[in-house]
Amino acid sequence: MTNPSQSPIVIVVSRSLARVIQLFGIYVIIHGHYSPGGGFQGGALLAAGILLLRMTEGMEGSQVELPTALAMPTAALGALLFAVTGMAAWIGGGNFLEYAGLPIPGVEAVWLRHYGILVVEVGIGLAVTTALVSIFDDLVGKGDHG
Amino acid sequence: MVDFIHDNYAYWAIMLLLVIGLYGMLMKKNLIKKLIGMVIFQNSIIILFVTAAYKWGATVPVVDPGRSTDEIANYLNPLPHTLMLTAIVVGVAIVGVGFAIVISIYRNFQTLEEPELLERMK
Amino acid sequence: MKAYNYILLAVFAGVLLYATLHLPERGDVNAPMHREFNEAGGEVAGNYFIRNAYRDAATPNMVTVVLADYRSFDTLGEVVVVFAAGMACYLILRRREEA
């Protein structure tokens, strides 16, 4: 599965399809406030886009999308973004993850919570995308000569 | 009788899925098939929660300007949906770890059949 | 051994089917989960979420508000679980190559 596909049709179609899937994944993350969606679902869609290229272009050819060595550090970054957003609420006098205490002046508490949720969802999306890609790379990557 | 079936058929289908999942985990000798049974079991519990969260006359928990949020009969309870959303993600993580363990077993013993594994572990 | 497993499966199926007879009917508005107060007399959490989610966070999707605001500590743990699963696969499958 790590070798690139021999058929040019498969590669061309999967390249254009992967962009549509990734765009839809970003839409699902950003639009999670108004319609069913959010970080987990959008992250799974973004990972699906990358995994499609991993299967058709091969492990070497799709390293440009997300290098295997960079996957787990980015997942840690996503979880850290979540935790740091929670800690930033301490500055404004709130509890951990109480977004109304985020230190942004001139924004009402309701909208602080609105944008706090958005930042947290992006963190979740980042973590889920890269963790799924990393699991796939570990399962498939070097299985034959391990 | 028709009412009884209408009120309960969803639960019967879910219980059937649970039994199929347990059958896969108990009776199949291949570790991959056992994992498939586990996934069926997991997903049937997710469907059970989503089914139990349904109520007649209510809509999905996304605010609709035409329906008042003060009247709880207008919206489904969002808590089971949230819990199952996180359960799905944990399920994917469990399947990933399960496959990792299965692959490392295959590398060590060159088989996934349970009787052969027990034989080679002696 | 195989006969015992079939008996176990049959007993499991029987217990589950017996349990469905006592579950609230599907879509029953008066099920304990959809009532105003639960069996112990406390308020049902879901009703609070339905009434206050839009007021608290200006977000129409209640599931998102519950996920990322009311129960955000739970979700933080969830993200750590996904991260831990990725680390577990990394450690299980890549250790052998170095040895």
Side-chain angles (χ1 to χ4, degrees):
Chain A
M1 220 191 277
T2 54
N3 301 322
S5 169
Q6 298 298 317
S7 159
I9 298 171
V10 170
I11 289 183
V12 168
V13 169
S14 73
R15 264 184 198 158
S16 48
L17 200 60
R19 301 293 171 248
V20 177
I21 294 173
Q22 284 166 337
L23 190 68
F24 186 60
I26 292 170
Y27 164 78
V28 166
I29 292 179
I30 303 294
H31 209 253
H33 286 59
Y34 305 102
S35 65
F40 288 114
Q41 299 94 316
L45 277 168
L46 281 175
I50 294 173
L51 295 190
L52 181 64
L53 290 175
R54 281 270 199 277
M55 284 192 279
T56 53
E57 291 190 326
M59 190 64 82
E60 301 295 321
S62 66
Q63 289 291 312
V64 193
E65 296 289 318
L66 181 68
T68 306
L70 216 70
M72 278 324 279
T74 319
L77 206 70
L80 210 64
L81 181 63
F82 198 141
V84 166
T85 312
M87 288 177 196
W90 286 340
I91 299 170
N95 291 319
F96 184 57
L97 286 168
E98 190 184 341
Y99 308 126
L102 286 175
I104 304 169
V107 185
E108 287 173 57
V110 172
W111 289 99
L112 273 177
R113 292 179 88 157
H114 185 94
Y115 293 120
I117 291 172
L118 185 63
V119 173
V120 161
E121 294 274 16
V122 169
I124 297 169
L126 215 57
V128 170
T129 309
T130 49
L132 288 180
V133 171
S134 172
I135 289 174
F136 178 84
D137 286 353
D138 287 342
L139 292 180
V140 164
K142 286 142 187 151
D144 296 330
H145 43 84
Chain B
M1 188 64 197
V2 174
D3 275 354
F4 180 69
I5 292 172
H6 181 257
D7 290 336
N8 286 296
Y9 74 96
Y11 292 123
W12 295 337
I14 291 159
M15 299 311 168
L16 185 69
L17 273 179
L18 276 166
V19 173
I20 291 172
L22 190 71
Y23 168 81
M25 284 195 284
L26 266 182
M27 313 293 272
K28 293 294 172 192
K29 300 289 183 214
N30 191 304
L31 291 183
I32 296 283
K33 288 177 182 168
K34 276 181 194 289
L35 263 179
I36 293 171
M38 193 190 76
V39 173
I40 294 173
F41 203 95
Q42 217 169 42
N43 284 312
S44 65
I45 289 172
I46 290 168
I47 300 170
L48 173 65
F49 269 72
V50 173
T51 309
Y54 185 70
K55 61 183 168 193
W56 296 116
T59 185
V60 288
V62 177
V63 173
D64 181 350
R67 283 166 172 258
S68 164
T69 50
D70 291 323
E71 189 59 51
I72 53 167
N74 280 343
Y75 293 99
L76 297 178
N77 193 338
L79 193 56
H81 295 117
T82 312
L83 293 178
M84 287 311 107
L85 190 59
T86 51
I88 290 168
V89 176
V90 172
V92 170
I94 289 170
V95 172
V97 174
F99 275 127
I101 293 170
V102 165
I103 287 175
S104 95
I105 288 173
Y106 188 79
R107 282 184 193 169
N108 278 324
F109 297 101
Q110 274 78 44
T111 181
L112 289 177
E113 296 295 322
E114 213 175 34
E116 285 182 45
L117 270 176
L118 291 172
E119 196 64 32
R120 288 182 201 192
M121 278 178 188
K122 275 176 190 165
Chain C
M1 193 62 206
K2 211 159 188 182
Y4 287 122
N5 282 345
Y6 276 117
I7 292 167
L8 191 69
L9 273 178
V11 170
F12 185 65
V15 168
L16 287 176
L17 285 179
Y18 177 69
T20 55
L21 299 180
H22 296 274
L23 281 174
E25 292 151 10
R26 188 173 70 94
D28 186 3
V29 184
N30 292 317
M33 188 175 165
H34 302 309
R35 270 188 228 144
E36 199 72 31
F37 296 100
N38 61 18
E39 301 282 323
E43 281 186 66
V44 174
N47 299 339
Y48 178 86
F49 297 148
I50 291 171
R51 291 206 179 100
N52 294 297
Y54 189 72
R55 254 169 251 157
D56 280 351
T59 304
N61 189 348
M62 296 168 198
V63 175
T64 303
V65 182
V66 178
L67 185 82
D69 197 324
Y70 295 129
R71 293 181 66 92
S72 49
F73 199 76
D74 183 41
T75 311
L76 178 61
E78 218 71 46
V79 172
V80 173
V81 165
V82 173
F83 178 71
M87 279 316 281
C89 286
Y90 182 91
L91 292 174
I92 291 171
L93 293 171
R94 291 192 200 176
R95 178 185 276 174
R96 210 178 135 86
E97 290 159 25
E98 292 162 16

